[in-house]
């Protein structure tokens, strides 16, 4: 299956039944093999040369676009930039087991970048600064799961995750956890129960009237109840690590970040105690966010490249990187949450989350706030970092989209 995926990337055009299967997973067709690499002539930035264009060249009003940028700067999150303190006084204020066990970095000021038709039309702050991106990390993680599915390492997202675990990895051996499928983990509906890396599942956003209630939470049938929970996302990371059998950082770098010409500055961290041994190799299992430190440390330019990859249906410079079918699944809501697809694909169903944006828009969101906004209707990607909560993002989008002539 590994060789078939490379064939679809352009290394070979021999059509076999295995090629057809891989083509179906990537969203390509093979009736005309040469068509597999003939994609729409969109602009894609080179590694060290991202072209800028004036807003007027791309059908935007410069003054109104500048108003959007000024709003993003003025709406910077007023909380402390010392993120260890920030974590302690937000989630840590109501959660036990809140001690960070992964790296935490002091953040920079508000910054961001706006693309239209792939070109940079606006940027502010210091987009080159590498910062924590918190739960945007989840979208990188689920993309790595998607790459395993494309390769045939995961046959079906409705398979039980436990069937893919080797002896000695007891993530899904408890009766309640045996029912968990990959789709449940991807959608944050697994209701996985247990402790991973010293963090009990119930300690993340605990439920109950008093602390004594927290460990005795109600158990939900997997797939029926949405609950945002970083312990369970870390379970997904460890589970797919056992499928890939090599560091997920390497998978992401080789399969996504290098093909989209990202910089060499991003890093994906795990915890101090999240090291495992696979095939005799010591590997750190990464996290799906920065709740207890770790996660993706990245700059706004690389975030924009990642978002632009999905705006272009998973393709980059004629190469299919992420399956169109996977993207369709990721942006389809599950039965338990109409505004959420795979982690961390936030959907704009009925335009309720973001009234200023089209319903087709999606966004990857991490606290702080860190946002990658993807707008197919207007061919826009926007990265907005360290904007306050509430209506600030919607107000920014209203100003940005009002600039389109």
């Amino acid at each position: 299956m590994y060789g078939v995926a490379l064939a679809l990337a352009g290394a070979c055009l021999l059509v076999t039944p295995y090629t057809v299967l891989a083509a179906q997973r990537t969203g390509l067709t093979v009736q005309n093999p040469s068509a597999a690499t003939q994609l729409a002539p969109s602009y894609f930035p080179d590694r060290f040369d991202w072209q800028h264009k004036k807003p007027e060249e791309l059908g935007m009003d410069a003054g109104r676009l500048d108003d959007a940028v000024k709003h993003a700067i003025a709406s910077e999150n007023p909380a402390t930039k010392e993120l260890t303190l920030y974590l302690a006084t937000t989630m840590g204020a109501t959660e036990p087991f809140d001690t960070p066990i992964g790296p935490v970095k002091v953040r920079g000021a508000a910054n961001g970048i706006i693309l239209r038709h792939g070109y940079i039309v606006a940027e502010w702050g210091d987009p080159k600064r590498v910062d924590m991106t918190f739960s945007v990390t989840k979208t990188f993680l689920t993309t790595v799961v998607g790459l395993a599915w494309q390769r045939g390492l995961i046959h079906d997202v409705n398979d039980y995750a436990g069937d893919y675990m080797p002896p000695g990895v007891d993530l899904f051996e408890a009766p309640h956890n045996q029912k968990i499928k990959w789709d449940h983990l991807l959608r944050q509906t697994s209701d996985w129960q247990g402790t991973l890396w010293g963090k009990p599942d119930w300690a993340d956003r605990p439920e109950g009237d008093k602390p004594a209630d927290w460990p005795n939470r109600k158990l939900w049938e997997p797939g029926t109840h949405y609950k945002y929970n970083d312990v369970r996302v870390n379970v997904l990371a460890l589970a797919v690590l056992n499928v890939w059998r090599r560091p997920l950082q390497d998978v992401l770098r080789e399969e996504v970040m290098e093909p989209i010409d990202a910089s060499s500055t991003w890093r994906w961290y795990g915890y101090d105690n999240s090291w495992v041994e696979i095939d005799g190799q010591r590997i750190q299992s990464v996290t799906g966010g920065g709740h207890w430190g770790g996660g993706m440390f990245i700059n706004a330019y690389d975030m924009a490249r990642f978002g632009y990859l999905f705006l272009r249906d998973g393709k980059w410079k004629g190469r299919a990187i992420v399956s169109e079918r996977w993207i369709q699944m990721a942006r389809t809501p599950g039965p338990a949450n109409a505004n959420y697809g795979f982690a961390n694909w936030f959907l704009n169903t009925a335009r309720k989350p973001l009234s200023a944006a089209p319903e087709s828009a999606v966004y990857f969101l991490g606290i702080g706030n860190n946002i990658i906004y993807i707008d197919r209707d207007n061919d826009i990607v926007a990265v907005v970092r360290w904007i306050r909560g509430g209506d600030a993002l919607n107000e920014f989008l209203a100003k940005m989209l009002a600039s389109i002539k």
Side-chain angles (χ1 to χ4, degrees):
M1 201 64 187
Y2 186 90
V4 171
L6 289 178
L8 290 171
C12 174
L13 289 174
L14 176 64
V15 179
T16 70
Y18 298 101
T19 309
V20 173
L21 174 60
Q24 291 170 344
R25 286 177 176 266
T26 58
L28 297 175
T29 59
V30 294
Q31 285 83 356
N32 174 9
S34 63
T37 56
Q38 294 175 0
L39 305 175
S42 301
Y43 166 72
F44 291 92
D46 292 331
R47 189 179 301 275
F48 299 111
D49 181 23
W50 202 329
Q51 296 180 29
H52 293 66
K53 285 199 173 183
K54 294 179 180 179
E56 289 83 359
E57 296 180 75
L58 300 175
M60 304 179 79
D61 180 272
R64 290 191 171 187
L65 188 61
D66 187 56
D67 287 342
V69 171
K70 288 178 179 176
H71 179 78
I73 296 171
S75 301
E76 180 177 341
N77 188 335
T80 176
K81 292 182 175 65
E82 175 47 73
L83 292 183
T84 301
L85 180 59
Y86 176 75
L87 289 170
T89 55
T90 53
M91 292 182 288
T94 57
E95 295 180 357
F97 298 91
D98 65 314
T99 303
I101 52 176
V104 178
K105 179 186 177 184
V106 175
R107 73 165 175 88
N111 66 84
I113 179 173
I114 299 173
L115 313 178
R116 189 155 204 231
H117 306 322
Y119 298 93
I120 296 175
V121 292
E123 53 188 329
W124 61 97
D126 182 8
K128 288 185 179 179
R129 180 184 170 90
V130 173
D131 269 333
M132 298 179 72
T133 195
F134 290 95
S135 285
V136 176
T137 308
K138 292 176 174 61
T139 319
F140 290 95
L141 173 60
T142 55
T143 299
V144 169
V145 178
L147 296 174
W149 173 82
Q150 286 173 221
R151 292 285 181 88
L153 300 177
I154 295 174
H155 176 68
D156 191 316
V157 295
N158 290 307
D159 288 347
Y160 292 105
D163 290 343
Y164 289 75
M165 297 302 103
V169 176
D170 61 353
L171 289 173
F172 306 103
E173 291 187 359
H176 177 75
N177 295 337
Q178 288 176 7
K179 306 173 186 177
I180 294 172
K181 300 177 180 180
W182 289 106
D183 188 76
H184 303 152
L185 292 165
L186 289 161
R187 297 188 184 279
Q188 302 228 56
T189 61
S190 73
D191 205 49
W192 184 88
Q193 184 183 36
T195 298
L196 183 64
W197 314 133
K199 306 294 184 180
D201 70 277
W202 56 263
D204 182 351
R205 301 165 179 86
E207 302 173 62
D209 296 329
K210 55 187 181 298
D213 297 331
W214 297 347
N216 303 306
R217 65 178 184 83
K218 177 181 177 179
L219 289 180
W220 298 87
E221 189 72 13
T224 65
H225 179 72
Y226 170 85
K227 171 68 184 296
Y228 202 94
N229 187 285
D230 282 294
V231 174
R232 295 172 195 146
V233 171
N234 292 338
V235 168
L236 173 61
L238 180 56
V240 77
L241 173 61
N242 277 281
V243 170
W244 275 107
R245 300 163 76 129
R246 63 192 184 101
L248 299 188
Q249 303 96 316
D250 289 353
V251 175
L252 182 69
R253 175 176 52 80
E254 295 171 11
E255 303 293 331
V256 177
M257 303 304 274
E258 287 187 352
I260 67 174
D261 292 322
S263 76
S264 60
T265 63
W266 64 272
R267 294 293 184 272
W268 191 359
Y269 297 105
Y271 301 133
D272 298 338
N273 62 345
S274 65
W275 292 87
V276 297
E277 184 174 305
I278 298 178
D279 300 332
Q281 181 183 3
R282 191 167 181 261
I283 302 175
Q284 188 181 39
S285 185
V286 292
T287 78
H291 192 148
W292 300 291
M296 182 67 71
F297 287 48
I298 193 170
N299 68 39
Y301 290 118
D302 288 343
M303 292 171 70
R305 286 177 183 270
F306 187 65
Y308 189 56
L309 171 67
F310 291 105
L311 184 70
R312 292 291 175 253
D313 298 318
K315 302 176 180 66
W316 196 275
K317 294 183 179 179
R319 175 179 174 180
I321 295 174
V322 179
S323 162
E324 287 187 60
R325 282 189 60 204
W326 182 263
I327 295 172
Q328 291 168 0
M329 290 190 291
R331 59 183 292 128
T332 300
N337 188 341
N339 297 322
Y340 199 74
F342 289 167
N344 231 13
W345 287 73
F346 285 89
L347 314 177
N348 199 29
T349 305
R351 299 180 64 192
K352 290 182 179 179
L354 297 171
S355 61
E359 186 170 8
S360 63
V362 298
Y363 54 108
F364 311 150
L365 172 66
I367 64 167
N369 286 304
N370 289 268
I371 297 120
I372 302 175
Y373 169 81
I374 303 169
D375 186 335
R376 291 170 178 261
D377 288 13
N378 296 294
D379 205 33
I380 281 177
V381 170
V383 174
V384 187
R385 309 202 72 178
W386 311 120
I387 192 170
R388 63 173 173 80
D391 292 332
L393 175 62
N394 194 58
E395 292 166 356
F396 164 81
L397 293 175
K399 293 178 181 294
M400 179 185 72
L401 296 176
S403 73
I404 299 174
K405 297 178 182 179

